[in-house]
Amino acid sequence: MVNPVIRISIRLPKPLPRHLKDGQVTRLLAVIQEVRDRAMFMLMLRCGLRVQEVADLTVDAVDYPRRQIFVSQGKGNKDRVVYMSEDARLALLAYLAKRSAKGKRLFLVQKGMMKGQPLSVRGIQKRMESYARKSKLNVSCHRLRHTMATQLLNADADLATIQDLLGHGQITTTQRYCWVANLKVQRGYYKAMEVVLQRTQDRGDDEDEEEREFPDPKKLLPNEQRNFP
């Protein structure tokens, strides 16, 4: 006989993404001294860009005065606008001040035979692998993007805002992306529970007061019942 169980496949859930803690972010940035690399990884950490989006980024896609970046044809061929924090903007300006080669793409190879050519996705990933070894952290380009999402959520940004910034097509993707270490939920619970407990206590006090002011007439003595309103 053929065992019917053999043909059954179980789809296991994908492992949840991890994020860097604040101290780990500081440790990582401390070893990234090269201005081009610091600018690249700040765009992932502060703007939530994917590694492919960083590799495809053009010089004219960045609006420095408005601190905006136009991401053209991101995942799913979707365009979106993301915003730069001040430290990300300064990192980009520091890189541009030393960027000698001309080219449409923003991030270029700086040494060797390929100097001046666009930096590839694999080239960016290899730089991150080097900094991961130096900082002794388990970190990747994707983990920087997830760190940005988690930090925003814990700073009370709503899911719809994070969804737009990350370029997620479905809010469920953002929910899965952000639920780990969701301090916002924890804070919200304790804050709301304090209100619940306070109201419960206040109501209990009020009921006790009412019972003292208006005792049950059936429990009064006959002479006391005559004086009860």
Side-chain angles (χ1 to χ4, degrees):
M1 291 181 63
V2 177
N3 188 347
V5 179
I6 295 177
R7 296 182 176 275
I8 297 176
S9 61
I10 300 175
R11 186 175 181 180
L12 297 175
K14 295 181 180 179
L16 291 167
R18 297 177 180 271
H19 68 283
L20 295 179
K21 297 179 181 179
D22 292 345
Q24 293 174 321
V25 170
T26 302
R27 202 164 109 201
L28 175 65
L29 293 178
V31 303
I32 306 177
Q33 299 299 322
E34 211 288 317
V35 291
R36 181 203 62 187
D37 295 351
R38 193 176 184 88
M40 290 190 307
F41 297 131
M42 287 296 285
L43 292 185
M44 301 175 194
L45 180 64
R46 300 302 193 213
C47 308
L49 295 189
R50 300 178 177 92
V51 61
Q52 183 69 62
E53 293 168 344
V54 171
D56 293 341
L57 203 61
T58 59
V59 175
D60 57 4
V62 184
D63 186 338
Y64 293 95
R66 294 182 180 180
R67 297 198 299 183
Q68 296 179 355
I69 299 175
F70 179 73
V71 181
S72 176
Q73 295 185 331
K75 189 174 181 179
N77 293 323
K78 296 178 181 178
D79 298 339
R80 74 182 190 281
V81 173
V82 299
Y83 305 93
M84 289 185 289
S85 61
E86 182 61 14
D87 56 352
R89 187 182 75 89
L90 292 176
L92 273 177
L93 290 174
Y95 164 59
L96 288 178
K98 293 189 175 182
R99 183 179 180 270
S100 56
K102 302 294 183 180
K104 182 180 179 181
R105 296 283 181 87
L106 181 57
F107 296 108
L108 307 173
V109 177
Q110 299 181 143
K111 298 178 182 178
M113 296 178 59
M114 298 296 291
K115 182 177 180 180
Q117 296 298 309
L119 192 60
S120 66
V121 167
R122 186 57 194 141
I124 297 173
Q125 290 172 335
K126 287 176 69 175
R127 297 303 300 147
M128 174 51 68
E129 290 166 5
S130 173
Y131 292 121
R133 289 191 296 270
K134 289 181 179 179
S135 63
K136 298 181 180 179
L137 291 169
N138 183 10
V139 61
S140 64
C141 296
H142 187 72
R143 189 158 293 182
L144 294 184
R145 172 175 154 88
H146 176 56
T147 298
M148 174 263 200
T150 304
Q151 288 179 332
L152 285 183
L153 187 72
N154 290 338
D156 292 332
D158 58 62
L159 275 177
T161 297
I162 299 172
Q163 178 189 5
D164 288 344
L165 293 174
L166 295 178
H168 287 160
Q170 302 291 332
I171 192 67
T172 52
T173 304
T174 314
Q175 289 172 331
R176 176 183 175 277
Y177 212 80
C178 295
W179 85 277
V180 180
N182 187 353
L183 298 180
K184 182 179 179 181
V185 173
Q186 182 180 344
R187 288 200 305 269
Y189 167 79
Y190 286 121
K191 183 177 180 180
M193 188 52 65
E194 286 180 4
V195 175
V196 171
L197 294 176
Q198 184 61 48
R199 287 179 177 175
T200 303
Q201 181 64 41
D202 291 345
R203 181 167 295 180
D205 292 344
D206 292 343
E207 290 176 353
D208 290 343
E209 184 65 28
E210 290 176 2
E211 187 172 334
R212 286 193 296 270
E213 291 180 358
F214 303 101
D216 187 350
K218 295 180 181 180
K219 296 180 181 180
L220 298 177
L221 296 174
N223 61 333
E224 292 176 330
Q225 291 178 353
R226 289 194 299 269
N227 299 324
F228 188 74

Coordinates of all heavy atoms in Angstrom, one line a residue, residues 145-192:
R145 N 17.3 47.6 7.6 CA 15.9 48.0 7.2 C 14.9 47.6 8.3 O 14.1 48.4 8.6 CB 15.6 47.4 5.8 CG 14.2 47.5 5.3 CD 14.2 46.9 3.9 NE 12.8 46.5 3.5 CZ 11.9 47.3 3.0 NH1 12.2 48.5 2.7 NH2 10.7 46.8 2.6
H146 N 15.0 46.4 8.8 CA 14.1 46.0 9.8 C 14.3 46.8 11.1 O 13.4 47.0 11.8 CB 14.3 44.5 10.1 CG 13.4 44.0 11.2 ND1 12.1 44.1 11.2 CD2 13.8 43.3 12.4 CE1 11.6 43.6 12.4 NE2 12.6 43.1 13.1
T147 N 15.6 47.1 11.4 CA 15.8 47.9 12.6 C 15.2 49.3 12.5 O 14.6 49.7 13.5 CB 17.4 48.1 12.7 OG1 18.0 46.8 12.9 CG2 17.7 49.0 13.9
M148 N 15.2 49.9 11.3 CA 14.5 51.2 11.1 C 13.0 51.0 11.4 O 12.4 51.9 12.1 CB 14.8 51.6 9.7 CG 14.0 52.9 9.3 SD 12.5 52.5 8.4 CE 12.2 54.1 7.6
A149 N 12.4 50.0 10.9 CA 11.0 49.8 11.0 C 10.6 49.6 12.5 O 9.7 50.2 13.0 CB 10.5 48.6 10.2
T150 N 11.4 48.8 13.2 CA 11.2 48.5 14.6 C 11.3 49.8 15.5 O 10.6 50.0 16.4 CB 12.1 47.4 15.1 OG1 11.9 46.2 14.3 CG2 11.8 47.0 16.6
Q151 N 12.4 50.5 15.2 CA 12.6 51.8 15.9 C 11.5 52.8 15.7 O 11.1 53.4 16.7 CB 13.9 52.4 15.5 CG 15.2 51.6 16.0 CD 16.5 52.2 15.5 OE1 16.5 52.9 14.5 NE2 17.5 52.0 16.3
L152 N 11.0 52.9 14.5 CA 9.9 53.8 14.3 C 8.6 53.3 15.0 O 7.9 54.1 15.6 CB 9.6 53.9 12.8 CG 10.5 54.7 11.9 CD1 10.0 54.7 10.5 CD2 10.7 56.1 12.4
L153 N 8.3 52.0 15.0 CA 7.2 51.5 15.7 C 7.3 51.8 17.2 O 6.3 52.2 17.8 CB 7.0 50.0 15.4 CG 5.8 49.4 15.9 CD1 4.6 49.8 15.1 CD2 5.9 47.9 15.9
N154 N 8.4 51.5 17.7 CA 8.6 51.8 19.2 C 8.6 53.2 19.5 O 8.5 53.6 20.7 CB 9.9 51.1 19.6 CG 9.8 49.6 19.6 OD1 8.7 49.0 19.6 ND2 10.9 48.9 19.5
A155 N 8.8 54.1 18.5 CA 8.7 55.5 18.8 C 7.3 56.1 18.5 O 7.1 57.3 18.3 CB 9.7 56.3 17.9
D156 N 6.3 55.1 18.4 CA 4.9 55.4 18.2 C 4.5 55.8 16.8 O 3.4 56.5 16.7 CB 4.4 56.5 19.3 CG 4.5 55.9 20.7 OD1 4.3 54.7 20.9 OD2 4.7 56.7 21.6
A157 N 5.3 55.5 15.8 CA 4.8 55.7 14.4 C 3.8 54.7 14.2 O 3.9 53.5 14.6 CB 6.0 55.6 13.5
D158 N 2.7 55.0 13.4 CA 1.7 54.0 13.1 C 2.1 53.1 12.0 O 3.0 53.4 11.2 CB 0.3 54.7 12.8 CG 0.4 55.6 11.7 OD1 0.7 55.2 10.5 OD2 0.1 56.8 11.8
L159 N 1.4 52.0 11.9 CA 1.8 50.9 10.9 C 1.6 51.4 9.5 O 2.4 51.1 8.6 CB 0.9 49.7 11.1 CG 1.4 48.7 12.2 CD1 0.4 47.5 12.3 CD2 2.8 48.2 11.8
A160 N 0.6 52.3 9.2 CA 0.3 52.7 7.9 C 1.5 53.6 7.4 O 1.9 53.5 6.2 CB -1.0 53.5 7.8
T161 N 2.1 54.4 8.3 CA 3.2 55.2 7.9 C 4.4 54.3 7.6 O 5.1 54.5 6.6 CB 3.6 56.2 9.1 OG1 2.5 57.1 9.3 CG2 4.9 57.0 8.8
I162 N 4.7 53.3 8.5 CA 5.8 52.4 8.2 C 5.6 51.6 6.9 O 6.6 51.4 6.2 CB 6.0 51.5 9.4 CG1 6.3 52.3 10.7 CG2 7.1 50.5 9.2 CD1 6.3 51.5 12.0
Q163 N 4.4 51.2 6.7 CA 4.1 50.5 5.4 C 4.5 51.3 4.2 O 5.1 50.8 3.3 CB 2.6 50.2 5.4 CG 2.2 49.5 4.1 CD 0.6 49.3 4.0 OE1 -0.1 49.9 4.8 NE2 0.2 48.6 3.0
D164 N 4.1 52.6 4.2 CA 4.4 53.5 3.1 C 5.9 53.7 2.9 O 6.5 53.6 1.8 CB 3.8 54.9 3.2 CG 2.2 54.8 3.0 OD1 1.8 53.8 2.4 OD2 1.6 55.7 3.4
L165 N 6.6 53.9 4.0 CA 8.1 54.1 4.0 C 8.8 52.9 3.5 O 9.8 53.0 2.7 CB 8.6 54.5 5.3 CG 8.1 55.9 5.9 CD1 8.5 56.1 7.3 CD2 8.6 57.0 5.0
L166 N 8.4 51.7 3.9 CA 9.0 50.4 3.5 C 8.6 50.0 2.1 O 9.3 49.1 1.5 CB 8.7 49.3 4.5 CG 9.3 49.5 5.9 CD1 8.9 48.4 6.8 CD2 10.8 49.7 5.9
G167 N 7.5 50.5 1.6 CA 7.0 50.1 0.3 C 6.3 48.7 0.3 O 6.4 48.0 -0.7
H168 N 5.7 48.4 1.4 CA 5.0 47.1 1.5 C 3.6 47.3 0.8 O 2.9 48.2 1.0 CB 4.7 46.7 3.0 CG 6.0 46.2 3.6 ND1 6.1 46.2 5.0 CD2 7.1 45.7 3.1 CE1 7.3 45.7 5.3 NE2 7.9 45.5 4.2
G169 N 3.2 46.3 0.0 CA 2.0 46.3 -0.6 C 0.8 46.0 0.3 O -0.3 46.5 0.1
Q170 N 1.1 45.1 1.3 CA 0.0 44.7 2.3 C 0.4 45.1 3.7 O 1.6 44.9 4.1 CB -0.2 43.2 2.2 CG -0.6 42.7 0.8 CD -2.0 43.1 0.4 OE1 -2.8 43.3 1.2 NE2 -2.2 43.3 -0.9
I171 N -0.6 45.6 4.4 CA -0.3 46.0 5.8 C 0.1 44.7 6.7 O 0.8 44.9 7.7 CB -1.5 46.7 6.4 CG1 -1.2 47.3 7.8 CG2 -2.7 45.7 6.6 CD1 -0.2 48.5 7.7
T172 N -0.4 43.6 6.2 CA 0.0 42.3 7.0 C 1.5 42.1 6.9 O 2.0 41.5 7.9 CB -0.8 41.1 6.4 OG1 -0.6 41.1 5.0 CG2 -2.3 41.2 6.7
T173 N 2.1 42.5 5.8 CA 3.5 42.3 5.7 C 4.2 43.2 6.8 O 5.2 42.8 7.5 CB 4.0 42.7 4.3 OG1 3.4 41.9 3.4 CG2 5.5 42.4 4.2
T174 N 3.8 44.4 6.9 CA 4.3 45.3 7.9 C 4.1 44.8 9.3 O 5.0 45.0 10.2 CB 3.7 46.7 7.7 OG1 3.7 47.1 6.3 CG2 4.5 47.8 8.5
Q175 N 2.9 44.3 9.6 CA 2.6 43.8 10.9 C 3.5 42.6 11.3 O 4.1 42.6 12.4 CB 1.1 43.3 10.9 CG 0.1 44.4 10.9 CD -1.3 43.9 10.7 OE1 -1.5 42.8 10.1 NE2 -2.3 44.6 11.2
R176 N 3.8 41.7 10.4 CA 4.7 40.7 10.6 C 6.1 41.2 10.8 O 6.9 40.7 11.6 CB 4.7 39.7 9.5 CG 5.7 38.5 9.6 CD 5.7 37.6 8.4 NE 6.7 36.6 8.6 CZ 8.0 36.8 8.2 NH1 8.3 38.0 7.7 NH2 8.9 35.8 8.4
Y177 N 6.5 42.2 10.0 CA 7.8 42.8 10.1 C 8.1 43.5 11.4 O 9.2 43.5 11.8 CB 7.8 43.8 8.9 CG 9.2 44.0 8.3 CD1 9.6 43.1 7.3 CD2 10.0 45.1 8.5 CE1 10.8 43.2 6.7 CE2 11.2 45.2 7.9 CZ 11.6 44.3 7.0 OH 12.8 44.5 6.3
C178 N 7.1 44.0 12.0 CA 7.3 44.8 13.1 C 6.9 44.3 14.5 O 7.1 45.0 15.5 CB 6.5 46.2 12.9 SG 7.1 47.1 11.5
W179 N 6.3 43.1 14.6 CA 5.7 42.7 15.8 C 6.7 42.3 16.8 O 6.5 42.3 18.0 CB 4.7 41.6 15.6 CG 5.2 40.2 15.6 CD1 5.8 39.6 14.5 CD2 5.3 39.3 16.7 NE1 6.2 38.3 14.8 CE2 6.0 38.1 16.2 CE3 5.0 39.3 18.0 CZ2 6.2 37.0 16.9 CZ3 5.2 38.2 18.8 CH2 5.8 37.1 18.3
V180 N 7.9 41.9 16.4 CA 8.9 41.5 17.4 C 9.4 42.7 18.2 O 9.6 43.8 17.7 CB 10.2 41.0 16.6 CG1 11.2 40.5 17.6 CG2 9.7 39.8 15.7
A181 N 9.5 42.5 19.5 CA 10.0 43.5 20.4 C 9.1 44.8 20.3 O 9.6 45.9 20.3 CB 11.4 43.9 20.2
N182 N 7.8 44.6 20.2 CA 6.9 45.8 20.0 C 6.7 46.5 21.3 O 5.7 46.1 22.0 CB 5.6 45.3 19.3 CG 4.7 46.5 19.0 OD1 5.0 47.6 19.3 ND2 3.7 46.2 18.3
L183 N 7.5 47.4 21.7 CA 7.4 48.1 23.0 C 6.2 49.0 23.0 O 5.6 49.3 24.0 CB 8.6 48.9 23.2 CG 9.9 48.1 23.4 CD1 11.1 49.0 23.6 CD2 9.8 47.1 24.5
K184 N 5.7 49.3 21.8 CA 4.5 50.2 21.7 C 3.3 49.5 22.3 O 2.5 50.1 23.1 CB 4.3 50.6 20.3 CG 3.1 51.5 20.1 CD 2.9 51.9 18.6 CE 1.7 52.8 18.4 NZ 1.6 53.2 17.0
V185 N 3.1 48.2 22.0 CA 2.0 47.4 22.5 C 2.2 47.3 24.0 O 1.2 47.5 24.8 CB 2.0 46.0 21.8 CG1 0.9 45.2 22.5 CG2 1.7 46.2 20.4
Q186 N 3.4 47.1 24.5 CA 3.6 46.9 25.9 C 3.3 48.2 26.6 O 2.6 48.2 27.7 CB 5.1 46.5 26.1 CG 5.4 46.3 27.6 CD 6.9 45.9 27.8 OE1 7.5 45.5 26.8 NE2 7.4 46.1 29.0
R187 N 3.8 49.3 26.1 CA 3.5 50.6 26.8 C 2.0 50.9 26.7 O 1.4 51.4 27.7 CB 4.2 51.7 26.1 CG 5.7 51.8 26.3 CD 6.3 53.1 26.0 NE 6.0 53.5 24.7 CZ 6.8 53.3 23.6 NH1 7.9 52.6 23.8 NH2 6.5 53.7 22.4
G188 N 1.3 50.6 25.6 CA -0.1 50.8 25.5 C -0.9 50.0 26.5 O -1.9 50.5 27.0
Y189 N -0.5 48.8 26.7 CA -1.2 47.9 27.6 C -1.1 48.5 29.0 O -2.1 48.6 29.7 CB -0.6 46.5 27.6 CG -1.1 45.7 28.7 CD1 -2.3 45.1 28.7 CD2 -0.3 45.5 29.8 CE1 -2.8 44.3 29.8 CE2 -0.7 44.7 30.9 CZ -2.0 44.1 30.9 OH -2.4 43.4 31.9
Y190 N 0.1 48.8 29.5 CA 0.2 49.2 30.9 C -0.4 50.6 31.1 O -1.0 50.8 32.2 CB 1.7 49.3 31.2 CG 2.3 47.9 31.4 CD1 3.4 47.5 30.7 CD2 1.9 47.1 32.4 CE1 4.0 46.3 30.8 CE2 2.4 45.8 32.6 CZ 3.5 45.4 31.8 OH 4.0 44.2 32.0
K191 N -0.4 51.4 30.1 CA -1.0 52.7 30.2 C -2.5 52.6 30.3 O -3.2 53.2 31.2 CB -0.7 53.6 29.0 CG -1.2 55.0 29.1 CD -0.8 55.9 27.9 CE -1.3 57.3 28.0 NZ -0.9 58.1 26.8
A192 N -3.1 51.7 29.5 CA -4.5 51.5 29.5 C -5.0 50.8 30.8 O -6.0 51.1 31.3 CB -5.0 50.7 28.3

